[in-house]
Amino acid sequence: MELIEHKFVETNGGLKLHVAQIGTGDKVVLLLHGFPEIWYSWRHQMAALAGAGYRAIAPDYRGYGLSDPPPKPDEATFIDFAADVAAILDSLQIPKAAVVAKDFGVYVASRFALLYPERLQGMVTLGIPFTPPGPGASAILALLPEGFYARRWMEPGRAEADFGRFDAKTVVRKIYVLFAGTELPTAAVDQEIMDLVEGSADLPDWFTEEDLSTYGDLYQKSGFQTALKVPYRSIEESAEVADLTVRVPAMLILGDKDYVRKSPGFEDYANVGVKHFVPDLEIVHLSEGSHFVQEQLPEQVNELILGFLGARIWS
């Protein structure tokens, strides 16, 4: 961790984005986090990538971690996040990179792949397959109970009131415990999502109190305003893209114990339908993998990522 460098790069709009990086050279891997994560969620992968001769770069999105918030957080979009990825590459004078993305970071990576195809060398997604812009995700959410966490958090003000009862560290603890489970996180009609987990609940054995403090401190700084807008209140966002095909080698890593796997239609799309959009796709299942597979099983995930990069991108 002490070898990881931290710097800030400026976007075209003047926002300063925090970037963590390690390693040197022109074989660049950009790591895009999910929620409730920040750059730190890639700590295990960054060390492994640098050790194998790659340059690993993990940003905090605008409004996350140490990055500046957008001027109007309620208007932040996935398109903004994808443009920030391109701006980071521009600032660091990197023409192309492979992208590794997890959870809603896959939505960012998907838009980056479609809007900036000339900048993409390959793509690895964890937990969620490539997802084209449009109303598909909201259609799936409509099939889930009203108490499903993502439906609740789509509602302006509801999560803010729920989270506001606790400090940021406790909110992150509860979400990590909840998302590490195998069931779809769903509250009863008279219950809020944060009430599904006790504030003193034990963390997963692969996530330490020190890790939690790192996350808690950064979310205490950033708050959750942008994080609730993107992804949860932006999932229907469209993009004017004529060609929805990703034409680079890709890998999808799925944890078989990830609660997301129980979403309606997920299995059909993740194992078959996605190949309509990503024809050169390899799919790998990790039998014990949870929603946070890169933190839970870092050695297995690192081996898969390094094997893919070495064989398919920089062979």
Side-chain angles (χ1 to χ4, degrees):
M1 289 290 291
E2 64 274 7
L3 298 178
I4 294 176
E5 300 176 351
H6 298 268
K7 66 181 300 180
F8 290 86
V9 302
E10 193 165 315
T11 68
N12 293 334
L15 294 183
K16 290 184 172 61
L17 302 180
H18 169 249
V19 172
Q21 61 178 340
I22 186 172
T24 59
D26 58 3
K27 298 189 295 185
V28 179
V29 182
L30 192 67
L31 302 141
L32 303 179
H33 66 78
F35 177 80
E37 296 151 288
I38 33 97
W39 75 268
Y40 183 81
S41 67
W42 296 111
R43 59 198 179 279
H44 304 300
Q45 287 67 50
M46 294 182 76
L49 286 163
Y54 298 98
R55 181 181 179 185
I57 300 172
D60 290 330
Y61 305 123
R62 57 173 62 197
Y64 282 76
L66 296 173
S67 291
D68 284 349
K72 297 180 179 180
D74 290 343
E75 297 179 7
T77 68
F78 281 116
I79 302 300
D80 293 334
F81 284 28
D84 287 344
V85 171
I88 289 168
L89 295 182
D90 289 342
S91 178
L92 299 177
Q93 299 183 315
I94 298 169
K96 302 179 72 171
V99 172
V100 179
K102 183 259 179 186
D103 187 58
F104 95 82
V106 177
Y107 284 61
V108 180
S110 297
R111 286 154 176 78
F112 178 75
L114 297 176
L115 295 170
Y116 306 92
E118 73 284 357
R119 313 296 297 269
L120 184 67
Q121 289 187 278
M123 184 165 66
V124 179
T125 67
L126 284 68
I128 296 177
F130 166 86
T131 305
S138 60
I140 293 171
L141 287 174
L143 300 175
L144 289 161
E146 177 278 333
F148 182 60
Y149 80 93
R151 291 192 61 176
R152 290 284 183 87
W153 293 352
M154 288 172 66
E155 180 183 338
R158 183 147 192 177
E160 288 87 339
D162 190 10
F163 292 5
R165 298 177 292 155
F166 309 97
D167 60 55
K169 182 177 178 180
T170 301
V171 172
V172 175
R173 175 189 290 274
K174 286 171 172 278
I175 296 174
Y176 251 82
V177 172
L178 196 62
F179 284 10
T182 59
E183 299 300 320
L184 292 166
T186 305
V189 173
D190 58 350
Q191 187 180 39
E192 296 300 329
I193 299 300
M194 290 293 98
D195 296 329
L196 293 172
V197 180
E198 293 294 330
S200 59
D202 291 337
L203 293 169
D205 57 14
W206 41 263
F207 192 71
T208 69
E209 290 289 342
E210 182 180 0
D211 294 332
L212 176 63
S213 292
T214 299
Y215 282 77
D217 289 346
L218 290 174
Y219 274 102
Q220 189 67 40
K221 172 195 173 295
S222 67
F224 295 95
Q225 188 175 9
T226 305
L228 288 167
K229 177 59 172 66
V230 182
Y232 298 105
R233 297 165 192 169
S234 301
I235 61 171
E236 293 186 343
E237 178 188 315
S238 62
E240 294 184 7
V241 181
D243 185 0
L244 297 177
T245 305
V246 176
R247 304 184 189 281
V248 296
M251 172 182 280
L252 168 61
I253 301 172
L254 294 172
D256 287 344
K257 293 187 177 180
D258 187 342
Y259 73 85
V260 174
R261 300 286 297 277
K262 295 183 177 179
S263 300
F266 183 89
E267 293 300 316
D268 287 343
Y269 179 71
N271 290 290
V272 180
V274 66
K275 292 186 177 181
H276 172 75
F277 301 104
V278 190
D280 190 3
L281 176 66
E282 177 184 358
I283 302 172
V284 180
H285 292 258
L286 295 179
S287 61
E288 296 301 313
S290 71
H291 188 66
F292 301 102
V293 67
Q294 87 280 18
E295 295 182 275
Q296 175 201 10
L297 303 172
E299 292 183 1
Q300 293 182 49
V301 170
N302 293 347
E303 182 178 359
L304 288 171
I305 292 173
L306 292 174
F308 171 78
L309 295 175
R312 302 301 315 283
I313 310 301
W314 289 289
S315 56

